[in-house]
Amino acid sequence: MATLTPLTLPPARPAPMPAPVPVDDLDLAVFDRHEPGLRGERLHDALDRLASRHWMARADLGVVVLEREAVVALLRDRRLSFPAAELLGLQGVEGAVQEAERNGLMGLSGEAHSRLRRALSAAMATRNVGDVRPLVHSVLEASWGAVRAGGSCEAVGALAEPVPSAVVAWLLGLAAGAAPTVARWSSVLQSVFKLGAANDWAEVERCQREVSELVGSLLDGAQGAEASKFVQVLALSADGEASGHDQGRAGSLSRKEAANLVIAILAGGVDTTRAQIAHGLRLFAEHPDQWHILRCRPELASRAATEVLRYEPITPFTARVAREDVEYRNVIFPAGTVIFCCLATANRDPSIWAEPGRFDISRAQPVQSVLSFGAGSHFCAGAQLAHMELEQVLGFLASRAATLHLEAPPVYGNFEGIYELVELRLGFAPAAATS
């Protein structure tokens, strides 16, 4: 009987990869940021629907990236940077305001950004500025004392704003009475990141001049007894200009750069934390079972702060611009493409969190899993400070307010830029055992 020789087939050739597709050629659903009433859970519902269809959507100013993995990858991609000046240019804002943003911490990238970031991180390090918790506690005592007897308050102004404005004033070595001015400066400076900044650019210019003059006087007095450690460390970094050193060396700052760093702290240190605290109080008023858990288990205050950041990030979108053609997942983003990374959907990724649409302070996920402070080189420099302030506010109030409830529907601000609450009317029952 003849032996049959097995037939040997040539190895299959891998299927050729399809050619990369320009993002403008994709048929993507449209995210309409102007849709009336797109706030609160309605905003999340709209974004979740888009995320279920594709990892991207189209918007009027660029594209929106919705999937967590893609958001992280693009935020860490050094071919992309924050489009501070570009977003202003798209809105017709030019001149000094645009130039300040182009040369500020958010507008720079690469080594220029890293040099400013190192100086700011050194100035904000705990070893330099000390422990701010006693100040936070004293501010909370005063804020609670002013509203406790009434049983209700407008919580944005009464409970959310005092802590971050006092902390930033303290960082700069300003008197306690300067906190309201610090809050005003922050609101004005932060407006450059809102779509609609053209309405405010003249006021922003005035505010930048005011802050630059303040920083000049602070740096001049940096060796005095009243100077804060934060200002002293910045002044040391800026000594190169006074002594004629090369400003390109790592760690050195010009006085203008030092002023820009203070502007960054003012812009990012009050409005953002105030908004996050306000949303946190809103969430607990809407979820009384979670407030009860926090009251019974005060050790969960840190987790509670993390869950607030995850569930309602006050920057639902953070923007990037492609500095060159970028290919990702076989999609080409041409140079100049503005990409809005959606932190609101990235923070509710079901591959990371069980029941991501449920507000649950018992979650054991580490704060690093939450993308509310960004990722990559533009990760928020004040993240630890902001988390601490939110944790302290929640823990303090949970030991003093037996219940929280909404006395009126919250008034939401615009979710583009900083997603604020314009008004939050809270009612509460003071705990009998506390003062």
Side-chain angles (χ1 to χ4, degrees), residues 59-93:
D60 56 345
L61 296 178
V63 293
V64 181
V65 174
L66 300 153
E67 186 193 84
R68 177 189 174 84
E69 181 183 43
V71 164
V72 173
L74 292 171
L75 288 179
R76 290 177 175 168
D77 194 319
R78 292 186 177 274
R79 295 171 297 176
L80 302 159
S81 62
F82 186 79
E86 285 83 357
L87 286 176
L88 290 173
L90 286 172
Q91 301 171 75
V93 179

Short mmCIF file of all heavy atoms in Angstrom, two decimals, residues 59-93:
data_model
loop_
_atom_site.label_atom_id
_atom_site.label_comp_id
_atom_site.label_asym_id
_atom_site.label_seq_id
_atom_site.Cartn_x
_atom_site.Cartn_y
_atom_site.Cartn_z
N ALA A 59 -16.92 67.04 17.96
CA ALA A 59 -17.42 68.27 18.58
C ALA A 59 -17.11 69.43 17.65
O ALA A 59 -16.35 69.28 16.68
CB ALA A 59 -16.79 68.49 19.95
N ASP A 60 -17.67 70.60 17.96
CA ASP A 60 -17.50 71.72 17.03
C ASP A 60 -16.06 72.21 16.95
O ASP A 60 -15.63 72.73 15.91
CB ASP A 60 -18.45 72.86 17.38
CG ASP A 60 -18.30 73.35 18.81
OD1 ASP A 60 -17.68 72.63 19.63
OD2 ASP A 60 -18.82 74.44 19.13
N LEU A 61 -15.28 72.06 18.00
CA LEU A 61 -13.92 72.57 18.01
C LEU A 61 -12.87 71.49 17.84
O LEU A 61 -11.67 71.77 17.82
CB LEU A 61 -13.64 73.35 19.30
CG LEU A 61 -14.47 74.61 19.52
CD1 LEU A 61 -14.12 75.25 20.86
CD2 LEU A 61 -14.26 75.61 18.39
N GLY A 62 -13.29 70.23 17.76
CA GLY A 62 -12.31 69.15 17.63
C GLY A 62 -13.00 67.81 17.79
O GLY A 62 -14.14 67.63 17.40
N VAL A 63 -12.27 66.85 18.36
CA VAL A 63 -12.84 65.52 18.61
C VAL A 63 -12.80 65.24 20.11
O VAL A 63 -11.94 65.77 20.83
CB VAL A 63 -12.09 64.42 17.84
CG1 VAL A 63 -12.30 64.57 16.35
CG2 VAL A 63 -10.61 64.42 18.18
N VAL A 64 -13.73 64.41 20.55
CA VAL A 64 -13.82 64.01 21.96
C VAL A 64 -13.42 62.55 22.07
O VAL A 64 -13.95 61.70 21.36
CB VAL A 64 -15.25 64.20 22.50
CG1 VAL A 64 -15.32 63.81 23.97
CG2 VAL A 64 -15.71 65.65 22.31
N VAL A 65 -12.46 62.26 22.96
CA VAL A 65 -12.03 60.89 23.21
C VAL A 65 -12.68 60.44 24.51
O VAL A 65 -12.55 61.09 25.55
CB VAL A 65 -10.50 60.80 23.30
CG1 VAL A 65 -10.06 59.40 23.72
CG2 VAL A 65 -9.88 61.16 21.95
N LEU A 66 -13.40 59.31 24.45
CA LEU A 66 -14.28 58.90 25.54
C LEU A 66 -13.79 57.70 26.34
O LEU A 66 -14.17 57.54 27.50
CB LEU A 66 -15.67 58.57 24.97
CG LEU A 66 -16.37 59.73 24.25
CD1 LEU A 66 -17.34 59.20 23.20
CD2 LEU A 66 -17.09 60.62 25.25
N GLU A 67 -12.97 56.86 25.74
CA GLU A 67 -12.55 55.62 26.40
C GLU A 67 -11.33 55.85 27.29
O GLU A 67 -10.38 56.55 26.90
CB GLU A 67 -12.23 54.57 25.35
CG GLU A 67 -11.93 53.18 25.91
CD GLU A 67 -11.33 52.29 24.84
OE1 GLU A 67 -10.09 52.36 24.63
OE2 GLU A 67 -12.09 51.56 24.21
N ARG A 68 -11.34 55.24 28.45
CA ARG A 68 -10.28 55.47 29.44
C ARG A 68 -8.89 55.16 28.89
O ARG A 68 -7.97 55.97 29.04
CB ARG A 68 -10.55 54.62 30.68
CG ARG A 68 -9.46 54.73 31.74
CD ARG A 68 -9.64 53.71 32.86
NE ARG A 68 -8.52 53.76 33.76
CZ ARG A 68 -8.40 54.63 34.78
NH1 ARG A 68 -9.35 55.50 35.01
NH2 ARG A 68 -7.34 54.63 35.56
N GLU A 69 -8.71 53.99 28.27
CA GLU A 69 -7.39 53.60 27.78
C GLU A 69 -6.87 54.64 26.79
O GLU A 69 -5.69 55.03 26.84
CB GLU A 69 -7.46 52.23 27.12
CG GLU A 69 -6.11 51.74 26.60
CD GLU A 69 -6.22 50.40 25.89
OE1 GLU A 69 -7.17 50.22 25.10
OE2 GLU A 69 -5.36 49.54 26.13
N ALA A 70 -7.73 55.10 25.89
CA ALA A 70 -7.31 56.10 24.91
C ALA A 70 -7.03 57.44 25.57
O ALA A 70 -6.09 58.15 25.20
CB ALA A 70 -8.39 56.24 23.83
N VAL A 71 -7.86 57.80 26.55
CA VAL A 71 -7.65 59.06 27.27
C VAL A 71 -6.27 59.07 27.92
O VAL A 71 -5.49 60.03 27.80
CB VAL A 71 -8.75 59.27 28.33
CG1 VAL A 71 -8.35 60.34 29.33
CG2 VAL A 71 -10.06 59.66 27.65
N VAL A 72 -5.92 57.99 28.63
CA VAL A 72 -4.63 57.92 29.30
C VAL A 72 -3.49 57.98 28.29
O VAL A 72 -2.50 58.72 28.47
CB VAL A 72 -4.53 56.64 30.15
CG1 VAL A 72 -3.12 56.47 30.72
CG2 VAL A 72 -5.54 56.67 31.29
N ALA A 73 -3.62 57.21 27.22
CA ALA A 73 -2.55 57.18 26.21
C ALA A 73 -2.31 58.56 25.61
O ALA A 73 -1.15 59.00 25.44
CB ALA A 73 -2.90 56.18 25.12
N LEU A 74 -3.37 59.27 25.28
CA LEU A 74 -3.21 60.57 24.63
C LEU A 74 -2.75 61.65 25.61
O LEU A 74 -1.99 62.54 25.24
CB LEU A 74 -4.53 60.97 23.96
CG LEU A 74 -4.89 60.08 22.75
CD1 LEU A 74 -6.31 60.38 22.27
CD2 LEU A 74 -3.89 60.26 21.61
N LEU A 75 -3.19 61.57 26.87
CA LEU A 75 -2.71 62.54 27.85
C LEU A 75 -1.21 62.38 28.12
O LEU A 75 -0.53 63.34 28.46
CB LEU A 75 -3.48 62.40 29.17
CG LEU A 75 -4.93 62.88 29.16
CD1 LEU A 75 -5.57 62.65 30.53
CD2 LEU A 75 -5.02 64.37 28.80
N ARG A 76 -0.72 61.16 27.93
CA ARG A 76 0.71 60.90 28.18
C ARG A 76 1.56 61.04 26.92
O ARG A 76 2.79 60.96 27.00
CB ARG A 76 0.88 59.50 28.77
CG ARG A 76 0.34 59.38 30.19
CD ARG A 76 0.46 57.97 30.71
NE ARG A 76 0.06 57.90 32.11
CZ ARG A 76 -0.16 56.77 32.78
NH1 ARG A 76 0.01 55.61 32.17
NH2 ARG A 76 -0.52 56.79 34.05
N ASP A 77 0.94 61.23 25.78
CA ASP A 77 1.67 61.32 24.52
C ASP A 77 2.34 62.69 24.41
O ASP A 77 1.67 63.73 24.38
CB ASP A 77 0.69 61.11 23.36
CG ASP A 77 1.40 60.83 22.04
OD1 ASP A 77 2.43 61.49 21.77
OD2 ASP A 77 0.92 59.98 21.28
N ARG A 78 3.65 62.70 24.33
CA ARG A 78 4.39 63.97 24.31
C ARG A 78 4.28 64.71 22.98
O ARG A 78 4.78 65.83 22.85
CB ARG A 78 5.86 63.72 24.68
CG ARG A 78 6.03 63.29 26.13
CD ARG A 78 7.49 63.20 26.53
NE ARG A 78 7.63 62.86 27.93
CZ ARG A 78 7.64 63.76 28.93
NH1 ARG A 78 7.51 65.04 28.65
NH2 ARG A 78 7.79 63.37 30.17
N ARG A 79 3.63 64.08 22.01
CA ARG A 79 3.38 64.79 20.75
C ARG A 79 2.16 65.70 20.87
O ARG A 79 1.85 66.46 19.96
CB ARG A 79 3.17 63.78 19.62
CG ARG A 79 4.40 62.94 19.30
CD ARG A 79 4.06 61.82 18.33
NE ARG A 79 3.10 60.87 18.90
CZ ARG A 79 2.58 59.85 18.23
NH1 ARG A 79 2.92 59.65 16.97
NH2 ARG A 79 1.72 59.03 18.82
N LEU A 80 1.50 65.62 22.01
CA LEU A 80 0.33 66.45 22.29
C LEU A 80 0.65 67.35 23.46
O LEU A 80 1.40 66.99 24.36
CB LEU A 80 -0.88 65.57 22.64
CG LEU A 80 -1.31 64.53 21.61
CD1 LEU A 80 -2.12 63.44 22.27
CD2 LEU A 80 -2.15 65.20 20.52
N SER A 81 0.07 68.53 23.48
CA SER A 81 0.25 69.43 24.61
C SER A 81 -1.04 70.20 24.86
O SER A 81 -1.96 70.19 24.03
CB SER A 81 1.42 70.40 24.39
OG SER A 81 1.17 71.22 23.26
N PHE A 82 -1.10 70.85 26.00
CA PHE A 82 -2.31 71.60 26.34
C PHE A 82 -2.41 72.83 25.43
O PHE A 82 -1.48 73.63 25.36
CB PHE A 82 -2.28 72.03 27.80
CG PHE A 82 -3.56 72.68 28.24
CD1 PHE A 82 -4.67 71.92 28.55
CD2 PHE A 82 -3.66 74.06 28.32
CE1 PHE A 82 -5.87 72.52 28.94
CE2 PHE A 82 -4.85 74.67 28.72
CZ PHE A 82 -5.95 73.90 29.03
N PRO A 83 -3.56 73.02 24.76
CA PRO A 83 -3.67 74.11 23.77
C PRO A 83 -4.15 75.42 24.38
O PRO A 83 -5.15 75.99 23.96
CB PRO A 83 -4.71 73.54 22.79
CG PRO A 83 -5.62 72.73 23.65
CD PRO A 83 -4.74 72.14 24.74
N ALA A 84 -3.44 75.91 25.38
CA ALA A 84 -3.87 77.12 26.07
C ALA A 84 -4.06 78.29 25.10
O ALA A 84 -5.11 78.93 25.07
CB ALA A 84 -2.87 77.49 27.17
N ALA A 85 -3.03 78.57 24.32
CA ALA A 85 -3.10 79.71 23.40
C ALA A 85 -4.05 79.42 22.24
O ALA A 85 -4.76 80.30 21.77
CB ALA A 85 -1.70 80.05 22.88
N GLU A 86 -4.07 78.15 21.77
CA GLU A 86 -4.90 77.81 20.61
C GLU A 86 -6.39 77.98 20.92
O GLU A 86 -7.15 78.49 20.08
CB GLU A 86 -4.63 76.37 20.17
CG GLU A 86 -3.32 76.18 19.44
CD GLU A 86 -2.13 76.03 20.38
OE1 GLU A 86 -2.32 76.14 21.62
OE2 GLU A 86 -1.02 75.82 19.89
N LEU A 87 -6.82 77.54 22.11
CA LEU A 87 -8.23 77.67 22.46
C LEU A 87 -8.65 79.14 22.52
O LEU A 87 -9.76 79.50 22.13
CB LEU A 87 -8.51 76.99 23.80
CG LEU A 87 -8.54 75.45 23.76
CD1 LEU A 87 -8.73 74.90 25.17
CD2 LEU A 87 -9.63 74.94 22.83
N LEU A 88 -7.73 79.97 22.99
CA LEU A 88 -8.03 81.41 23.00
C LEU A 88 -8.09 81.95 21.58
O LEU A 88 -8.97 82.76 21.24
CB LEU A 88 -6.98 82.16 23.82
CG LEU A 88 -7.02 81.91 25.34
CD1 LEU A 88 -5.81 82.57 26.01
CD2 LEU A 88 -8.30 82.43 25.95
N GLY A 89 -7.14 81.51 20.73
CA GLY A 89 -7.13 81.98 19.36
C GLY A 89 -8.39 81.59 18.60
O GLY A 89 -8.91 82.37 17.81
N LEU A 90 -8.90 80.38 18.86
CA LEU A 90 -10.13 79.94 18.21
C LEU A 90 -11.31 80.84 18.56
O LEU A 90 -12.29 80.94 17.83
CB LEU A 90 -10.46 78.50 18.61
CG LEU A 90 -9.59 77.41 17.97
CD1 LEU A 90 -9.90 76.06 18.60
CD2 LEU A 90 -9.81 77.35 16.46
N GLN A 91 -11.20 81.51 19.73
CA GLN A 91 -12.28 82.38 20.18
C GLN A 91 -12.00 83.85 19.91
O GLN A 91 -12.73 84.73 20.37
CB GLN A 91 -12.50 82.18 21.69
CG GLN A 91 -12.86 80.74 22.05
CD GLN A 91 -12.84 80.52 23.54
OE1 GLN A 91 -13.74 80.96 24.25
NE2 GLN A 91 -11.81 79.86 24.04
N GLY A 92 -10.92 84.12 19.19
CA GLY A 92 -10.60 85.49 18.82
C GLY A 92 -9.87 86.28 19.88
O GLY A 92 -9.75 87.50 19.78
N VAL A 93 -9.34 85.60 20.91
CA VAL A 93 -8.59 86.28 21.97
C VAL A 93 -7.12 86.29 21.61
O VAL A 93 -6.51 85.24 21.42
CB VAL A 93 -8.80 85.60 23.34
CG1 VAL A 93 -8.00 86.31 24.42
CG2 VAL A 93 -10.28 85.58 23.68
#
